[in-house]
Amino acid sequence: MPRPFRHPEPLEIGGDDLRELVAACMDRLAPWLDGLKDQPAHSLDGSHKVARAFDEPMPERGVPFRRVLARLFDRALPVSLNAASPGYLGYIPGGGLPSTALADLISDITNRYTGLWMPAPGLVQLEISVIRWFCALAGYGPSSGGWLCSGGSIANLAAVVAAREAKLGEAFEGGVLYTSEGGHHSISKAARIAGFPRRNTRVLPVDASFRLRRDALATAVAEDRAAGRRPFLVVAQAGSTPVGAVDDLAALADVCAAEGLWLHVDAAYGGFFLLTERGRAALAGIERADSIALDPHKGLFLPYGTGCLLVKELATLRSAFAETAAYLPPSQEDEDHWNFADLGLELSRPARGLRIWLPLWLHGASAFRDALNEKLDLARSASARVGALPGVRIVAEPALSLFAFRVEPPGMHAAELDAFNRRVLARVNQRKRLMLTGTTLHDPALGEEVFVLRVCVLCFRTHADRIDMLIEDLADAIADPRG
């Protein structure tokens, strides 16, 4: 039987107790981590049974920690999509870099408050440094800034609010924003939360490369102005979720400059490819955006819950979000010392910067750059090899590390093709070496809605051997999708 904690107060844990708890965790985590490459990329068998097992009342008394760990590692964790797996090529992977857990352990135990600069100046300034690294990466100047948040959805929401305040003011009726068919659903959700009815979000067509059409944008803006509406915001994609498309950012920036519109770039997936030469070329013009959403839990391989909003002018965030209260310390007047509560949605917030700062100091930026270059290479190789399989058409080439394709066997009627592709996807995933996903989209080549398969290479653990598995499993599935 585990001994009780040494401290007489039941909620207090002393240093020796903490060592034992962490050691118990490591007894589980270390073998899990070492065996990750051999684990299935997903396993949802018995989902309802597992869920029922955790639908339970609050425990009145404590339970030995190793028994709690056993329930997590033996029951809860195995029945899931394994986003940490090297075979996880679905959705947009988040790698779960283990070194970030060290930062979270330090942050959670020391429990410093970083909503304001004064309570933890070192940790806040550390986070400001992280934001400035990202601003420099995006090509922003010294008046830029931003903050870290939970993910791209919150970053997009804050960008919509900042644009609304900057371009429309308090009376924002009739405001219209524009995105493309490839825009993330968080944009329309953000618009509704920010007070705009659904009809005020224009979803515009894309070109043959799935990029927002400049001519369609210019036409829509002109039509809305003529109707008495108030265009104010364009949301461009720097790596769309469906197919990884990167809009012509420079061309859209030209339209926005001419029309007086705020340009926001949703670079949640693709933004950190700016660390690479090819990524900078693909995202040319991003430095002209008024705001940029980034997800370090995608392109920097960090655990989920790490997002970021950058703005070209930090003052635009202060204008949108700063509030005062008698019970708070006075706002910082030093331009180098920021109160994050003045820049975004949160007052209470953890030391988020530490979970980025520590891994970058531990591994160095070059390690992340090398990994991202490898993902670019793997995606191009995978696209070429998938495209060479019988009956496969690449629907969207990889602008970065994501591509989409469709299997179109000769002689098969159009009505049968979607079902055939869904069976191919199910057959590949049935082997559990890989996790692929699909989506329905408007295919410019066919002029109709079709179901396509997606491959997104973005886990730092994914290497050439998984691409070999992809080709093997796809070839088998295409030959006999019934399994």
Side-chain angles (χ1 to χ4, degrees), residues 242-257:
V243 298
V246 177
D247 288 332
D248 187 338
L249 302 179
L252 296 180
D254 287 342
V255 175
C256 290

Side-chain angles (χ1 to χ4, degrees), residues 163-307:
R164 184 195 71 190
E165 293 293 304
K167 294 298 182 179
L168 301 177
E170 292 185 2
F172 54 84
E173 291 80 5
V176 180
L177 60 153
Y178 306 86
T179 187
S180 74
E181 293 172 353
H184 196 269
H185 77 279
S186 63
I187 300 301
S188 58
K189 181 187 289 189
R192 286 192 291 115
I193 295 171
F196 298 99
R198 292 180 188 273
R199 64 180 179 275
N200 287 38
T201 299
R202 303 279 188 267
V203 179
L204 301 178
V206 296
D207 63 17
S209 298
F210 295 92
R211 301 179 302 178
L212 173 58
R213 284 171 41 195
R214 174 179 176 170
D215 63 328
L217 173 62
T219 298
V221 170
E223 290 175 349
D224 281 324
R225 288 201 194 282
R229 291 181 282 268
R230 304 168 66 195
F232 77 101
L233 169 65
V234 175
V235 180
Q237 301 297 309
S240 69
T241 297
V243 298
V246 177
D247 288 332
D248 187 338
L249 302 179
L252 296 180
D254 287 342
V255 175
C256 290
E259 296 287 348
L261 308 177
W262 181 290
L263 176 60
H264 174 63
V265 176
D266 185 353
Y269 153 55
F272 285 104
F273 284 99
L274 287 166
L275 280 166
T276 71
E277 184 176 346
R278 284 173 288 179
R280 288 192 298 274
L283 274 61
I286 196 171
E287 71 282 353
R288 298 175 61 189
D290 295 285
S291 57
I292 303 168
L294 300 170
D295 265 350
H297 63 217
K298 295 184 175 79
L300 287 185
F301 318 117
L302 301 187
Y304 292 120
T306 319

Side-chain angles (χ1 to χ4, degrees), residues 251-450:
L252 296 180
D254 287 342
V255 175
C256 290
E259 296 287 348
L261 308 177
W262 181 290
L263 176 60
H264 174 63
V265 176
D266 185 353
Y269 153 55
F272 285 104
F273 284 99
L274 287 166
L275 280 166
T276 71
E277 184 176 346
R278 284 173 288 179
R280 288 192 298 274
L283 274 61
I286 196 171
E287 71 282 353
R288 298 175 61 189
D290 295 285
S291 57
I292 303 168
L294 300 170
D295 265 350
H297 63 217
K298 295 184 175 79
L300 287 185
F301 318 117
L302 301 187
Y304 292 120
T306 319
C308 177
L309 176 67
L310 305 180
V311 289
K312 182 180 288 185
E313 298 295 333
L314 188 61
T316 59
L317 289 184
R318 287 200 176 100
S319 296
F321 295 107
E323 292 287 349
T324 60
Y327 45 79
L328 295 176
S331 293
Q332 286 296 319
E333 296 182 1
D334 189 326
E335 289 298 315
D336 290 329
H337 302 160
W338 308 346
N339 280 339
F340 286 120
D342 292 341
L343 307 178
L345 306 171
E346 298 173 305
L347 179 59
S348 298
R349 64 194 304 278
R352 284 201 182 93
L354 192 60
R355 67 190 343 240
I356 301 173
W357 182 89
L358 189 150
L360 279 166
W361 274 101
L362 180 63
H363 302 290
S366 62
F368 293 89
R369 181 179 299 108
D370 291 346
L372 288 168
N373 271 316
E374 181 194 24
K375 305 318 152 198
L376 293 172
D377 291 339
L378 289 175
R380 280 153 179 74
S381 170
S383 178
R385 295 175 66 186
V386 169
L389 293 173
V392 170
R393 175 173 64 92
I394 300 297
V395 175
E397 297 283 353
L400 295 167
S401 70
L402 194 164
F403 65 94
F405 65 96
R406 181 169 162 87
V407 189
E408 299 173 333
M412 187 172 288
H413 297 299
E416 301 174 298
L417 287 174
D418 278 1
F420 181 87
N421 278 269
R422 291 180 188 275
R423 291 197 300 272
V424 168
L425 175 63
R427 174 80 189 281
V428 170
N429 287 341
Q430 191 176 41
R431 297 185 71 172
K432 297 185 179 181
R433 301 200 297 178
L434 306 167
M435 172 69 189
L436 302 186
T437 52
T439 189
T440 300
L441 52 78
H442 180 80
D443 184 354
L446 300 179
E448 60 186 44
E449 294 285 321
V450 299

Side-chain angles (χ1 to χ4, degrees), residues 36-99:
L36 190 54
K37 69 180 190 314
D38 298 320
Q39 295 174 21
H42 63 97
S43 181
L44 296 177
D45 300 335
S47 297
H48 294 287
K49 182 179 180 180
V50 166
R52 284 194 298 271
F54 286 90
D55 183 7
E56 55 195 343
M58 183 188 301
E60 183 61 29
R61 298 189 179 280
V63 174
F65 186 49
R66 289 185 183 274
R67 191 186 305 170
V68 176
L69 286 177
R71 292 192 70 200
L72 287 174
F73 279 86
D74 298 341
R75 302 290 302 280
L77 290 172
V79 182
S80 62
L81 304 184
N82 190 354
S85 165
Y88 192 86
L89 305 176
Y91 301 109
I92 306 290
L97 195 69
S99 52

